[in-house]
Amino acid sequence: MEEEVMTEKRPIISAGGGPRREGAARKTLPMPVRYAINAVVVLVLLVLGELMIDGGAINRYQSTVLEQVGIYVILAVSLNIATGYLGQLPLGHAGFMSMGAYGCSIFIIRMSEALGVGARDFVTGTPMALVLVFGGLVVGGVCAAVAGIVIGIPALRLKGDYLAIITLAFAEIIRVVMLNIDDVVGFDLTGGAAGLTGIPGYSSFLLVFGCVAVVCFLTHTMMKSRHGRAILAIRDNEIAAEASGVNTTYYKTLAFVVSAFFAGVAGGLYAGCVGVLQPAVFGFMKSIEILVMVVLGGMGSMLGSALSATVLTILPEALRAFSEYRMIAYAIVLILVMIFRPQGLLGSYDFSLSRIIERVMNRDFPTARRAEKDEPAAKEVSADA
């Protein structure tokens, strides 16, 4: 009897994975190696894209569309910080974009006149022009961040529809100020309704997608830090987070300001891409367009925001030949996604190249996991037989 008890089968506890030896440690990549792999992949993609543009495989129109794709990816990822990660519903992202666009453009135009930097210097990429471009992007981001502080401190005390309405109102205030500020200050600053012209074409494929990589990296690292965990805790349960000692006002404002800063950088890139800024472009529908990208991709998914921004930027251009029907097709795509994937294309899933490499290293495949689950059942059947 004692022998039967001693030899009684005990359940096998597995940590997942493929056919590894029992008790073997799971292989993982050190954090510096992960960052190095991602950096190499991004660098290779940037070099390939630039070579295709220089070689003529991508024409000027297509490269401009690609630049706009990168700009909208930044806008969608930045809004995802406030909407997907923080769980709020702001509708004033176009206002932050306009602050960044005008701040960056005015800085570059004034400083290039003072330093004698011509439009040709921005095309060829002289050192002084590059300094002005990066300085302008920082200025644009800071202008948007300041606006985010001014708007966020009072607005984030509200929730739901009230927050959406007040942020929308602030965005309209910014648009009206850009439209009429020249009459107030007494000199040309924003160009008013006629628009701000004379903006050098400083945006390029490398600059835009380099900024995309930096914004995605900073967003990822922030959300993996303790600040990001506090922001996610507020999204899940604000009352419980505050009871646990999380300064909800500080972290809500932090997420809102970081979101506004990245939107300002995207606005600066947009100004260098189109060359002319008009306040009417940054109206209510621009904020809705960016919000649709976030909701369609999946709130809380950076990859989903990037994919939906890419699709919703390229789709109208691809259907331009069917100008009478392209908005209908655009609306049908949105309706179908909302019916069959109400959580968005990817939900809250985020892609990780390092995770895939680790699964390959550990032979952690879905087929191997299914075989491992079926193996104990097969042994029990053979033992009973």
Side-chain angles (χ1 to χ4, degrees):
M1 184 67 180
E2 291 182 358
E3 291 181 358
E4 291 181 0
V5 173
M6 295 297 293
T7 58
E8 184 180 356
K9 294 188 294 293
R10 291 179 172 82
I12 299 174
I13 301 175
S14 174
R20 302 193 308 273
R21 291 196 309 268
E22 187 176 346
R26 181 177 177 84
K27 300 176 183 178
T28 58
L29 293 173
M31 195 60 66
V33 176
R34 294 186 178 189
Y35 288 144
I37 292 173
N38 293 328
V40 169
V41 171
V42 170
L43 184 61
V44 169
L45 293 177
L46 290 177
V47 171
L48 287 177
E50 188 65 20
L51 289 176
M52 292 177 68
I53 293 174
D54 293 340
I58 299 177
N59 57 37
R60 177 57 187 164
Y61 168 74
Q62 293 170 339
S63 64
T64 302
V65 173
L66 285 177
E67 291 172 14
Q68 293 185 3
V69 167
I71 292 167
Y72 280 104
V73 167
I74 296 176
L75 288 169
V77 169
S78 63
L79 181 59
N80 202 14
I81 297 174
T83 303
Y85 297 133
L86 184 60
Q88 304 298 318
L89 185 62
L91 287 179
H93 220 55
F96 301 135
M97 181 184 178
S98 66
M99 287 292 294
Y102 278 100
C104 178
S105 302
I106 293 171
F107 173 83
I108 289 178
I109 291 173
R110 303 300 184 189
M111 292 303 296
S112 60
E113 291 175 355
L115 298 176
V117 180
R120 182 66 181 171
D121 296 322
F122 290 96
V123 176
T124 56
T126 61
M128 185 56 67
L130 292 177
V131 170
L132 289 180
V133 170
F134 288 115
L137 293 177
V138 173
V139 169
V142 170
C143 290
V146 171
I149 295 174
V150 173
I151 296 173
I153 291 177
L156 290 174
R157 298 180 183 274
L158 305 174
K159 297 179 182 179
D161 299 339
Y162 301 102
L163 175 63
I165 292 170
I166 194 172
T167 51
L168 174 62
F170 272 115
E172 285 299 303
I173 290 172
I174 293 174
R175 187 184 65 82
V176 173
V177 168
M178 296 299 178
L179 188 63
N180 300 288
I181 194 172
D182 288 1
D183 296 333
V184 176
V185 298
F187 59 89
D188 290 338
L189 184 64
T190 64
L196 182 63
T197 58
I199 304 173
Y202 52 83
S203 292
S204 63
F205 175 84
L206 280 179
L207 177 63
V208 170
F209 281 91
C211 290
V212 170
V214 172
V215 168
C216 291
F217 170 75
L218 293 178
T219 303
H220 174 77
T221 52
M222 183 183 76
M223 297 313 301
K224 293 298 182 183
S225 67
R226 64 184 182 89
H227 304 291
R229 291 192 293 271
I231 292 171
L232 294 175
I234 294 172
R235 180 195 66 182
D236 294 337
N237 194 321
E238 185 174 347
I239 296 175
E242 191 169 6
S244 301
V246 176
N247 189 341
T248 57
T249 302
Y250 169 77
Y251 282 110
K252 288 167 72 173
T253 306
L254 174 65
F256 201 69
V257 170
V258 172
S259 174
F261 178 86
F262 290 152
V265 172
L269 295 171
Y270 177 81
C273 181
V274 298
V276 178
L277 293 178
Q278 292 179 323
V281 175
F282 306 101
F284 166 69
M285 289 308 299
K286 181 65 71 174
S287 296
I288 294 298
E289 183 180 353
I290 302 168
L291 181 62
V292 167
M293 293 176 181
V294 176
V295 175
L296 184 64
M299 291 191 294
S301 173
M302 192 186 307
L303 177 61
S305 297
L307 288 178
S308 61
T310 302
V311 172
L312 295 183
T313 305
I314 294 178
L315 185 61
E317 298 297 330
L319 298 176
R320 188 171 291 276
F322 308 95
S323 57
E324 298 179 358
Y325 307 103
R326 64 173 180 154
M327 294 310 296
I328 297 177
Y330 181 84
I332 290 174
V333 170
L334 294 180
I335 292 172
L336 291 176
V337 172
M338 289 298 99
I339 290 175
F340 296 104
R341 290 285 295 179
Q343 71 272 30
L345 293 174
L346 297 181
S348 59
Y349 169 78
D350 259 336
F351 173 78
S352 174
L353 180 61
S354 302
R355 190 186 305 129
I356 293 176
I357 295 175
E358 287 180 352
R359 285 185 175 180
V360 173
M361 292 168 55
N362 292 280
R363 299 181 181 178
D364 186 6
F365 306 113
T367 55
R369 288 198 295 270
R370 284 195 296 268
E372 194 176 54
K373 289 179 181 179
D374 295 339
E375 186 177 352
K379 287 182 178 180
E380 287 183 7
V381 171
S382 62
D384 293 339

